[in-house]
Amino acid sequence: LVPSSRAVPIRGRAGARVAPRASAAGNRPNASEELTASDEDGVVVEGVVLEDANAKDGHGQHIGHHHHLDDPARVSREEHSPVDEEEEKAFRRQVATAFDAVARDADFQEDLRRRSAESSASSTTTTREGAGGGDDAAAESPGTTRPITSPTPPPTRAELWRRAIKLPMYSVALAPLAVAGALCHHWYGCVNVPQWGALATGACLVIAWLNLSNDAWDAATGVDDSKPESVVRLLGGDESEDARKAAVNKVHAVALGCLALGVGGLCYAATQLAANATADVVYTVLAMLGAAVACGHMYQGPPFRLSYKGLGEPLCFAAFGPLATGAFYLALAGGVPGGSVWMGVPATPTLLQPGVLGAAVLVGITTTAILFTSHFHQEEGDRAAGKKSPVVRLGLRKAIDVLRGGVLFHHFLASFLAFNGWLPFMGAVGVFIAMPLSIGVSSFSARHADAPAELFRTKYGAVRWHVAHAALLALGCWLDPWMVWNWHRVPGLALGAPYV
């Protein structure tokens, strides 16, 4: 570029104006702009070249043709007048000032780094696709750009342990207890809080046993080989075969310890019954809790491994629905001293009291929904491991349709039970208040049916629905005795009796 009286000067930062950088292709609609210089970092400065007044046919001619600043000898001396040395020095200072201003611009530097990272990622993606030889890559035009997504950082070890503990899983132990306690208050007017706490502790320990033993059995069969949050892998089980066996043994030992403590706590709480409760209630409670624990073992443990045969969901429904909820109700109602505060309530509780089995069925359905949705993103893994889960048997889309139909059936069942007197009316109201969460779960799964990798979030939505459903169902059952339709109840002899 030869500075002359007709060239537009390039000024510095203060009041300066530096022409925008050239595009990647270097093509612009305005032909009067010409690429003039570039530094080693790829920073481009454009000068504006005026049209030659002496050009023929009214067409403008460019003064310079991509001449570099450090090679002024290449300028045609036949076309231009001699360059004044002082003017050339001033021009070079202006160019240097422009480059310094651009280099100091933090936004520009950040943009430069981002473009460099995107270019590197794009080249890596192109290389991988080129190696695959797909037709899609060949069909793309040279100017096609692809969206670049920043790689997700790997989870930390603390995050993996948090996932391995699975705190939301313990809601399946507390939900039956919350509903059973509310039903106990509904029929007997109070709850034995120490007994409730003992049952909760024992139930959570049993859930810990289920969690740990499932990880151990899955590690033994190789199902969790690609699962970084497996407890066995976190204990070093992926280092070697001997390390795997050692980690599996450790997990089994801790799991059995949790099981022993949990069963002990449940047996202790089940025997803390009032004097008015009969021995039959104790035996019934112990038998139902034992059956629920047996379902947990048959789900994953040998020689049954019923989850591999597609029977995990029925076992889950039975264990956490009628068995656990019913047993907890019998234990809590039998632990109320002095009988009910209402007339006409049997001193010895039974499962046939209105609302008990109805609420237990509803709790079992929401618990089963968690297990059912947890398979949505694992179809390929389950199929490879020979696990006949519902999503393998039905296919993903049909499994999602089953979920949507199950949500509708759940709310229809709540209405049917309430209007027939088999569920407290306020309990049904609580179920419908939680209904938007259930619709959100089914809608999310339907929207992402073509992206199974995104469906891992479905089980978290099912957990939220399960927790809200249990809390609102329990609250409704708790408040129902104080509603106007129950004002006909006559207080019993136990009303106002001291609680011991």
Side-chain angles (χ1 to χ4, degrees):
L1 180 67
V2 178
S4 65
S5 58
R6 296 191 307 130
V8 178
I10 303 177
R11 296 188 294 274
R13 192 179 186 87
R17 150 169 94 82
V18 178
R21 293 179 291 122
S23 63
N27 298 323
R28 297 178 301 275
N30 186 359
S32 66
E33 295 184 3
E34 185 66 15
L35 181 66
T36 61
S38 64
D39 69 350
E40 58 182 341
D41 294 327
V43 179
V44 179
V45 178
E46 294 174 356
V48 178
V49 182
L50 302 180
E51 295 180 351
D52 193 345
N54 298 324
K56 295 180 180 182
D57 300 329
H59 295 288
Q61 297 180 349
H62 292 303
I63 296 178
H65 300 281
H66 296 265
H67 297 303
H68 291 277
L69 295 177
D70 55 356
D71 192 13
R74 295 175 58 183
V75 181
S76 175
R77 301 184 182 277
E78 288 81 1
E79 298 179 3
H80 306 288
S81 60
V83 180
D84 183 78
E85 182 177 356
E86 294 298 328
E87 187 176 357
E88 182 178 359
K89 289 181 180 179
F91 174 74
R92 290 178 178 275
R93 285 196 298 270
Q94 291 176 353
V95 172
T97 303
F99 279 120
D100 291 341
V102 172
R104 289 193 301 268
D105 192 336
D107 293 338
F108 177 78
Q109 293 296 330
E110 180 63 26
D111 179 69
L112 195 62
R113 286 192 292 270
R114 181 179 62 82
R115 289 175 180 272
S116 177
E118 291 179 354
S119 176
S120 177
S122 177
S123 63
T124 302
T125 304
T126 305
T127 301
R128 290 178 179 176
E129 293 178 352
D135 295 337
D136 294 339
E140 292 182 358
S141 60
T144 303
T145 59
R146 298 186 179 185
I148 303 298
T149 57
S150 58
T152 303
T156 63
R157 192 171 182 83
E159 174 67 17
L160 292 177
W161 272 111
R162 186 187 67 80
R163 295 181 187 178
I165 294 173
K166 299 177 183 175
L167 286 177
M169 186 177 180
Y170 294 87
S171 65
V172 302
L174 299 178
L177 264 173
V179 175
L183 288 170
C184 179
H185 178 270
H186 177 85
W187 286 111
Y188 291 90
C190 62
V191 177
N192 190 331
V193 176
Q195 185 188 27
W196 192 95
L199 289 171
T201 302
C204 289
L205 287 171
V206 171
I207 294 300
W209 161 72
L210 283 174
N211 182 25
L212 294 173
S213 62
N214 285 346
D215 270 8
W217 295 124
D218 283 342
T221 57
V223 175
D224 281 354
D225 286 346
S226 60
K227 186 178 178 182
E229 65 269 21
S230 169
V231 177
V232 174
R233 295 191 65 183
L234 290 173
L235 292 177
D238 56 348
E239 297 176 359
S240 65
E241 187 62 27
D242 292 337
R244 177 197 291 265
K245 293 180 180 179
V248 168
N249 291 335
K250 290 179 183 178
V251 174
H252 271 310
V254 176
L256 291 175
C258 292
L259 175 62
L261 293 175
V263 171
L266 292 176
C267 292
Y268 169 79
T271 57
Q272 299 302 303
L273 303 181
N276 55 300
T278 63
D280 292 341
V281 175
V282 178
Y283 298 145
T284 304
V285 170
L286 293 177
M288 295 177 70
L289 292 178
V293 173
C295 288
H297 176 71
M298 289 188 293
Y299 171 78
Q300 191 77 343
F304 308 100
R305 298 187 184 277
L306 296 181
S307 64
Y308 284 76
K309 301 176 182 178
L311 299 177
E313 280 70 19
L315 287 174
C316 178
F317 171 80
F320 294 100
L323 290 177
T325 307
F328 290 153
Y329 171 76
L330 291 179
L332 292 171
V336 175
S340 175
V341 300
W342 309 110
M343 293 290 290
V345 178
T348 301
T350 67
L351 294 175
L352 299 180
Q353 289 176 258
V356 177
L357 289 179
V361 168
L362 295 178
V363 172
I365 292 176
T366 59
T367 308
T368 305
I370 299 175
L371 179 61
F372 186 74
T373 55
S374 67
H375 298 296
F376 282 3
H377 68 290
Q378 297 177 339
E379 181 179 4
E380 294 183 2
D382 289 349
R383 194 183 303 275
K387 192 173 184 179
K388 301 298 182 181
S389 61
V391 71
V392 172
R393 290 181 177 272
L394 302 173
L396 179 57
R397 291 192 174 274
K398 187 172 290 187
I400 292 175
D401 291 339
V402 170
L403 173 65
R404 301 177 74 176
V407 167
L408 295 177
F409 171 76
H410 179 84
H411 294 89
F412 169 79
L413 180 62
S415 303
F416 178 80
L417 293 172
F419 282 108
N420 285 276
W422 299 330
L423 181 71
F425 187 78
M426 289 301 296
V429 172
V431 170
F432 277 90
I433 293 176
M435 186 177 183
L437 292 175
S438 65
I439 296 177
V441 173
S442 59
S443 299
F444 178 84
S445 60
R447 288 197 308 270
H448 294 84
D450 295 328
E454 296 293 329
L455 292 177
F456 78 95
R457 296 186 178 90
T458 310
K459 61 182 177 182
Y460 297 115
V463 170
R464 285 192 290 270
W465 175 42
H466 171 70
V467 172
H469 173 273
L472 293 169
L473 174 60
L475 181 62
C477 294
W478 187 283
L479 295 176
D480 193 77
W482 312 107
M483 297 295 107
V484 63
W485 51 83
N486 281 322
W487 283 0
H488 64 278
R489 279 186 171 186
V490 179
L493 299 177
L495 184 64
Y499 177 76
V500 292

